[in-house]
Amino acid sequence: DTAVSQTPKYLVTQMGNDKSIKCEQNLGHDTMYWYKQDSKKFLKIMFSYNNKELIINETVPNRFSPKSPDKAHLNLHINSLELGDSAVYFCASSQVRSYGYTFGSGTRLTVV
Amino acid sequence: TQLLEQSPQFLSIQEGENLTVYCNSSSVFSSLQWYRQEPGEGPVLLVTVVTGGEVKKLKRLTFQFGDARKDSSLHITAAQPGDTGLYLCAGQLPADKLIFGTGTRLQVFP
């Protein structure tokens, strides 16, 4: 009965590979997000989708492509992985105009 | 670039002490949220403050939103080891954009 679930929890891959992270929420929220947390624990927004429509697209390399097949799912595909992509990626959801986000437990991506 | 500065960055105290964490910005926010994050987990929402000057209390935690809605503080009374974690403030901007503070890592020793 996890509210926001991400898979996988850990991902170790070589430079140049393509990988995907999946996210699902069962809260009925309208908006979903991807955040990146760096080694200093700073959380930075990458994307947000409202009801399958892209709302926020921060200055993220176009190797990162979010996809939302429906409002309960938001996946993140990363092409040509680089060492600097190593971080923890968090999916989150919220109800539009509500005041609180629910986060998943994160995906630790390590690029070697 | 919008920035939310938190201070202190690190805080190490004994059980029973009081502490205050500050969150400051030059931007005005429609709301200010506080989260706590534990290792290997995502941030968990503690509280949201919406009105300038608003004060909310959650047991031993007191949250205040500045009058101008640019800053906030978190005060913990009689800290316990279970309060240990990373505390993050986050400001809500237009277009549903939530930006996070730089974080305060709290360690409470028994």
Side-chain angles (χ1 to χ4, degrees):
Chain A
D1 61 341
T2 306
V4 179
S5 58
Q6 296 179 227
T7 54
K9 175 78 172 174
Y10 300 95
L11 187 51
V12 181
T13 188
Q14 290 188 320
M15 280 175 55
N17 283 351
D18 304 337
K19 289 294 177 186
S20 291
I21 307 172
K22 295 186 175 181
C23 179
E24 176 181 3
Q25 55 98 1
N26 62 6
L27 298 166
H29 287 169
D30 290 329
T31 310
M32 295 184 72
Y33 311 83
W34 279 109
Y35 277 82
K36 179 180 179 180
Q37 189 170 46
D38 62 23
S39 58
K40 294 185 177 178
K41 302 299 184 185
F42 184 64
L43 268 164
K44 189 171 181 194
I45 188 165
M46 300 173 69
F47 302 102
S48 81
Y49 267 76
N50 177 260
N51 210 6
K52 301 195 297 174
E53 183 181 342
L54 182 65
I55 301 298
I56 295 173
N57 184 351
E58 289 294 285
T59 47
V60 176
N62 57 16
R63 299 181 294 103
F64 290 78
S65 54
K67 282 193 171 49
S68 182
D70 56 61
K71 78 171 195 176
H73 295 84
L74 180 62
N75 303 322
L76 184 65
H77 188 76
I78 315 169
N79 289 327
S80 304
L81 278 155
E82 300 177 358
L83 293 176
D85 297 332
S86 296
V88 182
Y89 292 84
F90 286 98
C91 177
S93 72
S94 76
Q95 192 65 2
V96 175
R97 296 192 182 88
S98 78
Y99 297 114
Y101 287 30
T102 303
F103 281 83
S105 57
T107 296
R108 181 176 293 277
L109 171 66
T110 304
V111 182
V112 297
Chain B
T1 304
Q2 297 106 353
L3 197 59
L4 266 171
E5 292 279 357
Q6 283 184 239
S7 61
Q9 195 176 351
F10 299 97
L11 198 48
S12 185
I13 61 173
Q14 291 292 129
E15 183 175 2
E17 291 184 32
N18 301 332
L19 66 114
T20 302
V21 177
Y22 298 94
C23 175
N24 294 293
S25 176
S26 56
S27 299
V28 176
F29 300 107
S30 59
S31 72
L32 200 295
Q33 302 167 24
W34 284 92
Y35 292 79
R36 189 172 89 186
Q37 185 179 14
E38 303 202 22
E41 297 297 327
V44 175
L45 180 70
L46 296 173
V47 80
T48 301
V49 283
V50 178
T51 308
E54 182 178 0
V55 176
K56 273 192 177 176
K57 290 193 175 184
L58 269 175
K59 297 183 180 178
R60 294 177 295 100
L61 277 60
T62 302
F63 304 86
Q64 183 160 12
F65 201 9
D67 291 340
R69 305 208 318 274
K70 294 182 180 181
D71 54 83
S72 180
S73 63
L74 157 61
H75 183 79
I76 301 179
T77 304
Q80 298 176 1
D83 296 327
T84 294
L86 177 68
Y87 287 82
L88 296 162
C89 65
Q92 188 81 49
L93 291 168
D96 212 17
K97 186 174 172 183
L98 188 72
I99 62 166
F100 277 82
T102 47
T104 295
R105 193 178 295 279
L106 172 65
Q107 176 99 49
V108 182
F109 291 98

